[in-house]
Amino acid sequence: MLEDFVGEDDILLGESCKDWEEAVMRGAQPLLQRGIIEPAYVEAIKANHRAMPYMVIAPGIMLAHARPECGAHGVGLTLMTLREPVEFGSAHNDPVRLVITLATPDETKHLKMLEALTDFLMVPECLDNFLAARSVGEAMAILKGDEGK
């Protein structure tokens, strides 16, 4: 389950960002603070997005990531909701309300985390409830699947 990979410090709710670059930087902050990624990793995400905005993976969802060798030292995942949606330059999936930042030090260590994330995102109620969460505790309950219990 996704809560195995995301802790309370990895959830940012109702953030305000003036543009996509600020959203990428803000979403990466928890990973930077813990040394999971280097600043070069964030710059690589931005450069990749400028070259081809493929990271807006579904309507309203950005999966920010870069190659492991760009400065990832561990596996990490953050989930950030935006108070006001931000344009990322995706013709089909803008504006973005959820920025997910993924880091992995190699090609395999993140696969179970990515599977859990995919499972979570495929359930519309889970995503809608997470986007509406008002507190980190509420967001964690949604990730655990026990909201309303």
Side-chain angles (χ1 to χ4, degrees):
M1 302 231 359
L2 194 53
E3 78 274 8
D4 295 337
F5 304 101
V6 178
E8 290 185 359
D9 293 339
D10 301 315
I11 297 174
L12 305 162
L13 300 175
E15 296 289 318
S16 293
C17 298
K18 68 179 187 286
D19 58 25
W20 71 265
E21 290 192 47
E22 184 179 350
V24 167
M25 178 54 93
R26 180 110 16 111
Q29 281 302 312
L31 302 177
L32 283 165
Q33 290 171 348
R34 290 198 312 274
I36 293 172
I37 60 172
E38 297 175 11
Y41 190 83
V42 180
E43 293 308 313
I45 292 170
K46 291 178 186 178
N48 291 342
H49 184 68
R50 277 187 210 100
M52 185 171 32
Y54 69 92
M55 289 185 260
V56 183
I57 60 169
I61 303 171
M62 164 70 160
L63 179 59
H65 62 284
R67 302 272 318 143
E69 62 271 13
C70 293
H73 300 295
V75 175
L77 186 71
T78 66
L79 302 171
M80 178 178 73
T81 64
L82 298 169
R83 183 172 308 161
E84 296 295 326
V86 171
E87 297 287 327
F88 276 73
S90 172
H92 302 292
N93 294 323
D94 268 344
V96 169
R97 292 194 56 219
L98 176 63
V99 177
I100 302 164
T101 307
L102 169 74
T104 183
D106 64 29
E107 300 290 332
T108 60
K109 289 189 177 170
H110 68 293
L111 295 178
K112 287 185 191 250
M113 181 173 66
L114 203 52
E115 181 180 346
L117 176 63
T118 302
D119 289 347
F120 178 78
L121 294 175
M122 295 299 291
V123 180
E125 311 80 64
C126 291
L127 180 57
D128 291 343
N129 290 342
F130 188 85
L131 289 170
R134 295 181 180 260
S135 71
V136 171
E138 183 181 349
M140 285 302 297
I142 293 163
L143 294 180
K144 292 177 184 175
D146 52 49
E147 74 281 3
K149 289 183 183 175

